[in-house]
């Protein structure tokens, strides 16, 4: 009985070591980590929601935007949005958020808040801007928050 139990135990140990790759075959070597790109990371999540600030706003729409090495993401116009962000050095506060000349919007207060969170050229970004209403948001001459 002992020999049978010992043989079963030895067989089970060999089976487990074969599955895990342990044994006389040598240790597995992981490939060294290589950088995926020469560019600093640039990945953003952009949101739009009704409300006076990001803390209390329920997000209505959200898109992703990556600009390095090529513009990609779920943003409907990533190439134009990335070009706008490059033109201001990724400083969202320098994007033009005022209404274009000749555009007329009502003065109703129905706030809509846009946010940007993520990484731009290797540095952390957190941006929030509230428009008085959707007309003012749509009148701003920027592609970044057009989604």
């Amino acid at each position: 009985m002992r020999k049978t139990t010992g043989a079963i135990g030895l067989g089970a140990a060999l089976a487990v070591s074969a599955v895990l790759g342990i044994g006389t075959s040598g240790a597995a070597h992981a490939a060294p980590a290589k950088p995926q790109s020469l560019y600093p990371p640039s990945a953003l999540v952009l949101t739009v929601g009704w409300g006076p600030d990001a803390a209390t706003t329920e997000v209505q729409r959200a898109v992703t935007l990556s600009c390095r090495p090529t513009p990609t993401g779920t943003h409907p116009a990533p190439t134009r949005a990335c070009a706008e962000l490059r033109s201001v050095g990724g400083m969202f506060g320098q994007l033009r958020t005022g209404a274009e000349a000749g555009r007329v919007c009502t003065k109703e207060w129905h706030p809509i808040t846009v946010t940007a969170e993520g990484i731009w050229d290797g540095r952390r970004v957190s941006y929030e801007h509230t428009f008085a209403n959707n007309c003012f948001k749509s009148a701003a001459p920027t592609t970044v928050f057009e989604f």
Side-chain angles (χ1 to χ4, degrees), residues 16-96:
V16 168
S17 66
V19 168
L20 296 177
I22 304 170
T24 59
S25 64
H29 296 285
K34 295 180 185 177
Q36 301 240 344
S37 172
L38 297 176
Y39 301 101
S42 174
L44 302 164
V45 175
L46 309 173
T47 67
V48 174
W50 296 104
D53 58 56
T56 60
T57 297
E58 185 175 320
V59 174
Q60 301 298 311
R61 293 182 306 277
V63 297
T64 58
L65 179 66
S66 293
C67 296
R68 295 281 180 138
T70 59
T72 61
T74 59
H75 193 286
T79 303
R80 287 189 301 158
C82 288
E84 281 184 18
L85 285 172
R86 279 191 207 99
S87 73
V88 295
M91 305 297 286
F92 283 85
Q94 293 180 6
L95 289 172
R96 293 182 42 209

Side-chain angles (χ1 to χ4, degrees), residues 5 52 70 76 100 118 120 127 138:
T5 305
T70 59
E100 291 177 304
W120 176 263
Y127 172 78
S138 298

Side-chain angles (χ1 to χ4, degrees), residues 92-119:
F92 283 85
Q94 293 180 6
L95 289 172
R96 293 182 42 209
T97 55
E100 291 177 304
R103 181 75 184 254
V104 179
C105 289
T106 63
K107 300 280 185 183
E108 78 175 305
W109 179 248
H110 188 56
I112 187 166
T113 300
V114 297
T115 66
E117 296 285 334
I119 307 292

Side-chain angles (χ1 to χ4, degrees), residues 3-15:
K3 287 185 179 184
T4 305
T5 305
I8 291 173
L10 179 61
L14 289 174

